[in-house]
Amino acid sequence: MAEAGIIDGKAVAARVREQLKTDVAEFTARTGIQPGLATVLVGGDPASEVYVASKRKMSVAAGMADLHQHLPEDATQAEVEGLLGQLAANHAVSGILLQLPVPAHLDAAALIELIPFEKDVDGLTTMSVGLLAQGKPGLRPCTPSGVIELLDAYDVPVEGARVVVIGRSELVGRPVAQLLVNRNATVTIAHSRTKNLADVCREADIIVAAVGVKGLVTGEFVKPGATVIDVGIHRGPEGLSGDADFASVSEVASLVTPVPGGVGPMTIAMLLANTLRAAELQYALAD
Ligand code: NAD
């Protein structure tokens, strides 16, 4: 069998960001409102600092206002809650993103719930999760939305397709499964207690691997011609790799996302898309 085609997430993400530039300019011209993203970083975790810096840079490149907030490592629960309350009430703030993980002394779940659903650009509040589960309009988590965008960009049929999502986390597995169900796929959620995982996966037209186990998905898991979307990110001496064993999977699949350069670049692009959606939602609610 020929080698699988590569799903180029870098190129798709660049196209999404380019389109957003136009859409943001059009929204601002129409409403007089510049969408603003408030990233909230507590402490100085080096990986989080890098992520936040690139979210800020790309939001500015898309024509949005950078309303970043930084609190010290020892900020109290009350201080972070106070800041989130101010951002929730501030009309210049379209989207609020609390960068996770927060320092261990803070109650992250309680903080997330303070973000109003119409500003919840990470899609992680109970309200946003409920709207997604009910198939109602709302802001969806960024990485799962990026997975759907990649499938659409490569015209992978989702309606009626059999999909196996490996992983049931709140951040990726569950929401991506919901998004796929809402798009009329037949979805199986596999997880750490699933029996005969390879057999379950071989039924799938599309496999979404969000497991956090390096190289778990091998060619043996893949039905010939299936599409494999690899959400995993692992840092090793040879650089980044994913939850799929790229070499053996690409011998069997028809399309596969590489790591790096697949799902990863989509996450920030979808965050920016969510920030514009949030601004539109607030404009409509204020009408
Ligand atoms: P998680 O640890 O919260 O969840 C992993 C899930 O996989 C769990 O539900 C567990 O049941 C399941 N699992 C674990 N071992 C298994 C096994 N052997 N067989 C079957 N299922 C198993 O992880 P997460 O937050 O969902 O992230 C998953 C991966 O995606 C990680 O590598 C993470 O770094 C990556 N990630 C990437 C992005 C991105 O932007 N590309 C965003 C978020 C997460």
Side-chain angles (χ1 to χ4, degrees), residues 143 166-173 190-194 197 209-213 216 230-234 243 263-265 267:
T143 303
I166 320 174
R168 57 177 165 184
S169 72
E170 281 176 40
L171 196 60
V172 191
H191 46 74
S192 52
R193 311 279 172 89
T194 297
L197 182 62
V211 201
V213 178
L216 177 82
D230 187 353
V231 181
I233 301 179
H234 306 276
D243 288 344
V263 175
T267 299

Side-chain angles (χ1 to χ4, degrees), residues 36 52 70 174 249 266 277:
V52 166
H70 195 170
R174 285 170 200 258
V249 164
M266 295 303 294
R277 276 202 74 197

Side-chain angles (χ1 to χ4, degrees), residues 152-228:
D152 286 347
Y154 281 78
D155 295 324
V156 178
V158 173
E159 178 157 339
R162 296 202 64 164
V163 183
V164 174
V165 174
I166 320 174
R168 57 177 165 184
S169 72
E170 281 176 40
L171 196 60
V172 191
R174 285 170 200 258
V176 83
Q178 297 271 12
L179 286 170
L180 289 159
V181 167
N182 292 351
R183 291 284 301 269
N184 300 319
T186 301
V187 182
T188 299
I189 303 180
H191 46 74
S192 52
R193 311 279 172 89
T194 297
K195 293 185 177 125
N196 306 322
L197 182 62
D199 293 341
V200 172
C201 289
R202 259 196 315 275
E203 300 267 306
D205 303 308
I206 301 168
I207 297 173
V208 180
V211 201
V213 178
K214 184 176 166 167
L216 177 82
V217 177
T218 60
E220 200 199 319
F221 285 51
V222 181
K223 178 170 82 174
T227 296
V228 178

Side-chain angles (χ1 to χ4, degrees), residues 5-239:
I6 305 282
I7 295 182
D8 185 348
K10 235 172 130 177
V12 177
R15 281 209 298 277
V16 169
R17 291 199 308 271
E18 226 18 68
Q19 179 62 45
L20 269 171
K21 234 193 247 182
T22 311
D23 295 348
V24 167
E26 189 276 329
F27 174 78
T28 302
R30 180 163 52 84
T31 64
I33 296 165
Q34 183 188 28
L37 174 63
T39 44
V40 177
L41 179 62
V42 186
D45 175 67
S48 293
E49 284 195 346
V50 172
Y51 288 138
V52 166
S54 76
K55 289 168 186 176
R56 295 174 64 190
K57 195 170 134 210
M58 289 190 188
S59 64
V60 169
M64 300 179 185
D66 171 17
L67 307 172
H68 175 66
Q69 306 289 320
H70 195 170
L71 290 177
E73 183 82 29
D74 61 356
T76 63
Q77 182 80 13
E79 283 166 345
V80 188
E81 287 182 1
L83 173 61
L84 291 172
Q86 284 168 26
L87 296 172
N90 182 346
H91 292 302
V93 175
S94 316
I96 303 172
L97 180 136
L98 177 64
Q99 183 66 40
L100 300 172
V102 291
H105 67 279
L106 297 173
D107 179 349
L111 292 173
I112 288 168
E113 291 309 325
L114 295 175
I115 300 171
F117 80 96
E118 71 277 13
K119 297 191 178 189
D120 178 21
V121 287
D122 243 353
L124 294 179
T125 61
T126 301
M127 181 73 172
S128 295
V129 173
L131 291 170
L132 170 58
Q134 293 177 339
K136 290 184 180 155
L139 296 166
R140 311 307 194 204
C142 302
T143 303
S145 303
V147 169
I148 303 293
E149 193 76 24
L150 287 178
L151 293 170
D152 286 347
Y154 281 78
D155 295 324
V156 178
V158 173
E159 178 157 339
R162 296 202 64 164
V163 183
V164 174
V165 174
I166 320 174
R168 57 177 165 184
S169 72
E170 281 176 40
L171 196 60
V172 191
R174 285 170 200 258
V176 83
Q178 297 271 12
L179 286 170
L180 289 159
V181 167
N182 292 351
R183 291 284 301 269
N184 300 319
T186 301
V187 182
T188 299
I189 303 180
H191 46 74
S192 52
R193 311 279 172 89
T194 297
K195 293 185 177 125
N196 306 322
L197 182 62
D199 293 341
V200 172
C201 289
R202 259 196 315 275
E203 300 267 306
D205 303 308
I206 301 168
I207 297 173
V208 180
V211 201
V213 178
K214 184 176 166 167
L216 177 82
V217 177
T218 60
E220 200 199 319
F221 285 51
V222 181
K223 178 170 82 174
T227 296
V228 178
I229 306 288
D230 187 353
V231 181
I233 301 179
H234 306 276
R235 274 166 230 282
E238 337 74 62

